[in-house]
Amino acid sequence: MAQTDDTPRERYRAQVRAEVMAHAWEQIATAGASALSLNAIAKQMGMSGPALYRYFANRDELITELVREAYRSLADTLRAAADDGANLTGLARALRTWALADPQRYLLIYGTPVPGYQAPEDTTAISGEIMATLLTACTAALPADARDTPPTPFTAHLADHRSWAGDHPAPPAALRLALAFWTRLHGVLSLELAGHFTGMGFYPATLFEAELTDLLAQPGHG
Amino acid sequence: MAQTDDTPRERYRAQVRAEVMAHAWEQIATAGASALSLNAIAKQMGMSGPALYRYFANRDELITELVREAYRSLADTLRAAADDGANLTGLARALRTWALADPQRYLLIYGTPVPGYQAPEDTTAISGEIMATLLTACTAALPADARDTPPTPFTAHLADHRSWAGDHPAPPAALRLALAFWTRLHGVLSLELAGHFTGMGFYPATLFEAELTDLLAQPGHG
DNA sequence: TGTACATCAGTGAACGCGCGTTCACTGATGTAC
DNA sequence: TGTACATCAGTGAACGCGCGTTCACTGATGTAC
């Protein structure tokens, strides 16, 4: 496998690649992922269009790299929060902060899929890392008695289909809690980022906190 | 105001407009909203590109009309379910059925916004209709004692910022429930439609039902 | 009922644009003796 | 240390494509007398 040797040329390549991706993020933040254009990035960097083909095989590879970087960034952010002692609430707030920092980055991963683009399998692994961090926090967040609560039909179903959790030794109630964490917070966040709350009067941050409260008050019933 | 007179010509115009939109929906269903192309639609209809400008001022007006139609369809669907006696659970299932029938139609409204496209104010009214139907069902779904439960900080906040509910006389707890209904079901639905559950093993429909159960078991706390 | 005119649907050519991508080439940077 | 060669970054021209949109025009459909 192509080991990244540390020659000056390799360092230069890595730097230009990073610079291309930085401009790509800028462009995505402005006009969304579907408007991403290699030529536009090249122009922004003061290069000719074809030059970028030294660094990326084609447009799809660039997007793949951006998706990977976004997943990596989120996984690292959550992991860092967890290592700093954050509980589930802390992870939720770290997620929101991360999402608001660059809405289009969040939407690139969790929003409407880019038409005609197929995500690489590779990201499944990083997605698993995120799930692992989440499941650990979810397990810790369960009230003591919830660990032995008889499973509902759905938690039983989850206990039988836990491959997505990467064999994480979490109790069924924690699997259920992790899914609720994910879908509920995504529900609030994605509507907020899409601007669906503007003009509705209330504070999105308050709704987010309220959902978080409910999540912890009733972990994994139905 | 331009009254739609019922001359043969007007009827023909309306029919062609409808046909254009039908092809537009087909195209959106296949490749997403950002790939929508007037020329492609014209070709599909066996017409030349410029002919469509007899029916739509430009691409944006077509999209606006599609957005309006999608909102109208959802509002009518939910209203019809409510008139048939559906409770909140019934509305939720009607919503899911509607979303799965044409994922891209759902995503056109609630997904990542089309870059550079500004939704018309007009849809706010239809959105209000949807909220009204929802709030009525939410009010009915509240347990008797929930109507007099002291407000939490967030329900108090909502009671003060209820313009989005269009002066619907719903108790604060119902406002809170409606928001949870919306954001939680959207969370599950949008992730399901984006394909984020594929390969995870469990049934999305079961997760949807579980979220629904939780929603009714704990209406409007945090 | 028939003729004269106005309205409108649809065409084809054209404009300008930006896209992804290929190719042959220049010039600079690194490597081997 | 200097020379000969290979590697690689970047350029400019080009290809083919599809897009939204305008414009002058033809031919059919409807309207008024």
Side-chain angles (χ1 to χ4, degrees):
Chain A
M1 298 297 136
Q3 179 71 16
T4 306
D5 23 21
D6 199 30
T7 69
R9 254 189 186 148
E10 273 306 322
R11 259 183 286 128
Y12 179 74
R13 276 187 66 80
Q15 185 192 316
V16 174
R17 264 180 81 100
E19 203 174 326
V20 170
M21 291 184 67
H23 281 96
W25 281 122
E26 250 176 66
Q27 207 172 292
I28 281 185
T30 305
S34 59
L36 203 161
S37 143
L38 290 185
N39 287 313
I41 292 174
K43 187 180 296 182
Q44 224 174 93
M45 292 178 66
M47 300 172 72
S48 76
L52 295 197
Y53 285 78
R54 291 275 161 199
Y55 301 95
F56 296 91
N58 50 40
R59 185 173 178 271
D60 262 28
E61 197 200 300
L62 210 206
I63 297 185
T64 294
E65 223 52 47
L66 291 168
V67 169
R68 207 195 309 276
E69 191 169 278
Y71 269 115
R72 206 23 322 124
S73 167
L74 177 56
D76 290 350
T77 298
L78 294 183
R79 185 54 169 273
D83 287 350
D84 270 15
N87 56 10
L88 201 53
T89 302
L91 287 191
R93 291 180 183 148
L95 170 65
R96 182 158 191 272
T97 302
W98 184 85
L100 291 180
D102 188 344
Q104 292 292 342
R105 182 179 54 178
Y106 180 89
L107 293 173
L108 178 65
I109 300 184
Y110 292 118
T112 307
V114 182
Y117 171 75
Q118 186 67 19
E121 321 157 9
D122 172 36
T123 57
T124 312
I126 314 183
S127 195
E129 264 185 63
I130 295 175
M131 280 298 164
T133 305
L134 190 52
L135 283 167
T136 301
C138 282
T139 304
L142 287 179
D145 61 342
R147 234 156 297 214
D148 311 308
T149 297
T152 66
F154 186 50
T155 57
H157 175 65
L158 286 180
D160 284 348
H161 300 81
R162 60 199 300 161
S163 64
W164 56 274
D167 294 325
H168 191 284
L175 298 176
R176 172 74 187 92
L177 179 56
L179 281 184
F181 180 96
W182 184 23
T183 61
R184 292 187 194 179
L185 299 189
H186 168 71
V188 178
L189 273 178
S190 66
L191 288 174
E192 177 180 4
L193 297 183
H196 275 286
F197 295 153
T198 56
M200 287 187 73
F202 61 83
Y203 297 130
T206 314
L207 174 57
F208 187 86
E209 289 293 326
E211 278 298 279
L212 202 44
T213 303
D214 279 13
L215 194 61
L216 296 172
Q218 182 208 41
H221 282 188
Chain B
M1 298 295 140
Q3 180 71 17
T4 307
D5 23 21
D6 200 28
T7 68
R9 257 191 182 144
E10 273 306 322
R11 259 183 288 128
Y12 180 74
R13 276 186 68 78
Q15 186 190 316
V16 175
R17 263 179 83 100
E19 204 173 324
V20 170
M21 290 183 67
H23 282 96
W25 282 121
E26 248 176 66
Q27 207 172 292
I28 281 186
T30 305
S34 60
L36 203 159
S37 143
L38 290 186
N39 287 314
I41 292 174
K43 188 181 295 181
Q44 225 173 94
M45 292 177 65
M47 300 173 71
S48 76
L52 295 198
Y53 285 78
R54 291 273 162 200
Y55 302 95
F56 296 91
N58 48 41
R59 186 172 178 272
D60 262 28
E61 196 200 301
L62 211 207
I63 297 186
T64 294
E65 223 51 47
L66 292 168
V67 169
R68 208 194 311 274
E69 191 169 278
Y71 268 116
R72 209 17 329 121
S73 167
L74 178 56
D76 290 349
T77 298
L78 293 183
R79 185 54 167 274
D83 287 349
D84 270 15
N87 56 11
L88 201 53
T89 303
L91 288 191
R93 290 180 184 147
L95 169 65
R96 183 160 189 271
T97 302
W98 184 85
L100 291 180
D102 188 345
Q104 292 291 343
R105 182 179 53 178
Y106 180 90
L107 293 173
L108 178 65
I109 300 184
Y110 293 118
T112 308
V114 182
Y117 170 75
Q118 186 66 18
E121 320 157 9
D122 172 37
T123 57
T124 312
I126 314 183
S127 195
E129 264 186 61
I130 295 175
M131 280 298 164
T133 305
L134 190 52
L135 283 169
T136 301
C138 282
T139 305
L142 287 180
D145 61 340
R147 234 155 297 211
D148 312 307
T149 297
T152 66
F154 186 49
T155 57
H157 176 62
L158 285 181
D160 284 348
H161 300 81
R162 59 198 302 159
S163 64
W164 56 276
D167 295 324
H168 191 285
L175 298 177
R176 172 74 186 90
L177 179 56
L179 282 184
F181 180 97
W182 184 23
T183 61
R184 291 187 194 179
L185 300 189
H186 168 72
V188 178
L189 274 178
S190 66
L191 288 174
E192 177 180 4
L193 297 182
H196 275 286
F197 295 153
T198 57
M200 286 188 75
F202 62 83
Y203 297 129
T206 314
L207 175 57
F208 186 86
E209 290 293 325
E211 278 298 281
L212 201 44
T213 303
D214 279 14
L215 195 61
L216 297 172
Q218 181 207 38
H221 281 190

